Amino acid sequence: MHSSRPIDGAYVEFLADYAGLPLSRMRAVAVAAVLEAWHPDALVLSAKMSAHEYAALLPVTVFAHGTVHQDCEGHDL
Amino acid sequence: MSDELLQLDLCEAARLLRRREISPTDLVQASLASIRRHDAVLKSFITVFEEQAIEVAKAASIMLDAGHDLGPLHGIPIALKDNIALSGYRTTAGSKILADWVPARDATVTAKLRSAGAVFVGKTNMHEYAWGGTSANPHYGFVRNPWDTERFPAGSSGGSGVAVAARFCFGAMGTDTGGSIRLPSAVNGIVGIRPTYGRVSNYGIVPLAWSMDTAGPMARTVADCALMFGVVAGHDAADAASAGQPCSDYMAGLRTGVRHLRVGIIPGYFFEHLQQAVYEAAQEALRVFTSLGAQIVEIDMEHIDGNISAQLTIEAAEPSAYHQRNLRERPGDYGDDVRTLLETGELLLATQYIQAQRYRALLRAAFLDAFQKVDVFICPSLPFTATKVGATTVAIENGIEEDMLSAIMQFTGIASLTGLPSLNVPCGFDQDGLPVGMQIIGKPFDEATLFRVGHAYQGATTFHRRTPQLVQVG
């Protein structure tokens, strides 16, 4: 996975508009610098995680702990 | 006398209180006097409870004299990070937006500390909304490191780290999403624990990233930290992510030692690309553990590369969802750095976020598999010692400047992503006298082992006994 065009202020302004987020050009340039630093690694990670060997892997969620059955002192609830 | 009182650790102070050799009023007055003398420079507090804390301390003294002991923290001065709700007092989360927010109810951890007898002396300064690692707060002042006031205290719980290191209080609560308890603990030379995700309630705490947020105590010694942890840990029905796992008696096993303990290290990740002083301190810590009877086991951890991208994606996307409305209605009320990160988080792809969450499952499985071969992992908490206040980059090797955010969370983020508990313990000082910290990372819900290992280490070393020389003002 790779993106073909550089992430600059104009590009971020377009994306921000799509997200319904008003951004001045100055703000867009600041965000572009961060996105440009982060985006290549995010694409690498997405490519890794889209491999067939991980097809059954579930994302981590906050619901992972299951049913509460004991209190802090080990008594059944 | 008052400065001598503040040199006690929490457990010692609690013992002397019960023997009536000192009173809660003595402790709280000493604490408040020291804050008055020194905090104008350090800026570790946003709010100090001058009158209220004295009144509570007087009541605590009367109760103790009458034989009513509320619990292990009875009469002990404690601070709360300012993203933790305290009923009736403003809780700003280090932000302008919440500058006047007065919660109607305590956070669960606040209520538990209060029930155990803690006296709250103030609310500590922090990185705005906990979204950053420097505690350079544009609204309440840049927090400064007591070991060198030109240096940063790390963050986001920088105020809590400084307040404990400067002996303003005997313990403080922090919160940790990507490292926000362990980083300031390391940089300020104190102990702090990020609990297993779900072990300590987040109810009443202003969130950063829901799927990684935790809260935990910061204190001067491992025993102090364990004592506080026993108070705040446990299931809470008010927190949807709270775990129903039984808690241990965290003080009971402290003296069991580390003989035959299997200490895992990951040389290919945690012992590369770090400042020489940090490397040497961590290596020396491993030698200490070996001398205490532990066995060092090298582990080649699959999938560990990629963790920084996953952290940044999750830690950017979730706060941006929480702040979505304010970012549109009050964008100018955010500090520039936090605003930029929140705006960036709005533009990440949903698929990138989900893949990052799936990566966490992969990394967690790799760690759980490795825990069949080791009992704990040990590694530095961050690859460098305290940088200059206000710096946004850091030089780790060969004078090459790197982005602060990515650099600072590269070692702490592992436990954050995997949900594993991790304890920071001081393990040395660099050539400038700045503290170095190491993490002890454990199995899910096995905080008791972390405290046992950390306590054994502190029994063999004295780094935690050093005190910074504070600058006096006024």
Side-chain angles (χ1 to χ4, degrees), chain A residues 7 9 12 16 21-38, chain B residues 97 127-129 131-132 138-139 208 312-313 315-321 323 326-328 330-348 392 403 405:
Chain A
I7 298 173
V12 165
L21 177 69
L23 276 193
S24 66
R25 174 55 63 94
M26 194 178 73
R27 298 298 315 157
V29 168
V31 171
V34 181
L35 263 188
E36 192 170 49
W38 292 7
Chain B
I97 289 171
H127 206 106
E128 182 180 12
Y129 280 116
W131 199 176
H139 314 296
L208 175 61
L312 292 173
T313 298
E315 224 178 307
E318 293 186 16
S320 295
H323 290 275
N326 279 332
L327 194 58
R328 283 156 179 76
R330 306 177 60 175
D333 287 343
Y334 289 98
D336 204 47
D337 64 329
V338 170
R339 181 178 173 183
T340 301
L341 290 168
L342 293 174
E343 289 166 344
T344 302
E346 290 251 4
L347 307 182
L348 301 174
T392 56
D403 171 63
L405 187 61

Side-chain angles (χ1 to χ4, degrees), chain B residues 5 8 40 93 105 141 153 158 165 205 208 239 275 298 352 354 385 397 458-459:
Chain B
L5 289 179
L8 298 168
R105 280 190 289 274
I205 299 175
L208 175 61
D239 176 0
Q275 289 177 348
E298 290 193 9
Q352 289 172 342
I354 296 294
T385 54
E397 276 187 313
Q458 292 199 324

Side-chain angles (χ1 to χ4, degrees), chain B residues 69-313:
Chain B
D69 187 340
L70 288 177
L73 300 177
H74 191 117
I76 301 287
I78 296 289
L80 293 172
K81 185 177 179 180
D82 207 22
N83 57 351
I84 301 173
L86 176 62
S87 170
Y89 296 94
R90 72 170 184 162
T91 295
T92 69
S95 72
K96 185 176 178 183
I97 289 171
L98 294 179
D100 299 317
W101 180 50
V102 177
R105 280 190 289 274
D106 280 344
T108 296
V109 293
T110 307
K112 286 186 169 191
L113 291 165
R114 196 197 293 276
S115 296
V119 181
F120 299 122
V121 291
K123 305 289 296 295
T124 56
N125 201 351
M126 55 183 285
H127 206 106
E128 182 180 12
Y129 280 116
W131 199 176
T134 66
S135 304
N137 190 301
H139 314 296
Y140 302 98
F142 288 18
V143 187
R144 291 173 179 270
N145 192 310
W147 296 92
D148 177 350
T149 55
E150 295 303 311
R151 307 284 180 146
F152 87 150
S156 64
S157 311
S160 290
V162 170
V164 172
R167 273 56 177 164
F168 292 156
C169 55
F170 291 81
M173 285 300 293
T175 60
D176 188 315
T177 302
S180 287
I181 286 173
R182 293 159 290 159
L183 295 168
S185 295
V187 162
N188 292 293
I190 64 166
V191 175
I193 188 166
R194 173 193 169 88
T196 309
Y197 179 78
R199 171 61 100 191
V200 174
S201 173
N202 284 323
Y203 174 78
I205 299 175
V206 178
L208 175 61
W210 299 284
S211 73
M212 296 206 294
D213 285 346
T214 61
M218 303 163 77
R220 295 171 203 169
T221 70
V222 171
D224 291 355
C225 192
L227 186 73
M228 284 183 71
F229 192 75
V231 169
V232 297
H235 177 255
D236 178 17
D239 176 0
S242 181
Q245 299 285 332
C247 300
S248 306
D249 178 344
Y250 298 104
M251 300 299 284
L254 277 184
R255 291 185 170 74
T256 317
V258 295
R259 196 160 183 78
H260 305 307
L261 184 89
R262 300 168 301 170
V263 172
I265 60 169
I266 306 173
Y269 187 78
F270 288 118
F271 291 86
E272 290 184 353
H273 191 53
L274 64 178
Q275 289 177 348
Q276 188 64 22
V278 177
Y279 177 83
E280 288 171 6
Q283 290 293 337
E284 181 55 31
L286 295 176
R287 281 192 281 277
V288 170
F289 281 114
T290 303
S291 73
L292 293 172
Q295 175 194 357
I296 308 298
V297 181
E298 290 193 9
I299 298 287
D300 182 17
M301 185 64 69
E302 208 180 356
H303 306 303
I304 200 162
D305 291 323
N307 78 82
I308 296 173
S309 178
Q311 285 178 69
L312 292 173
T313 298

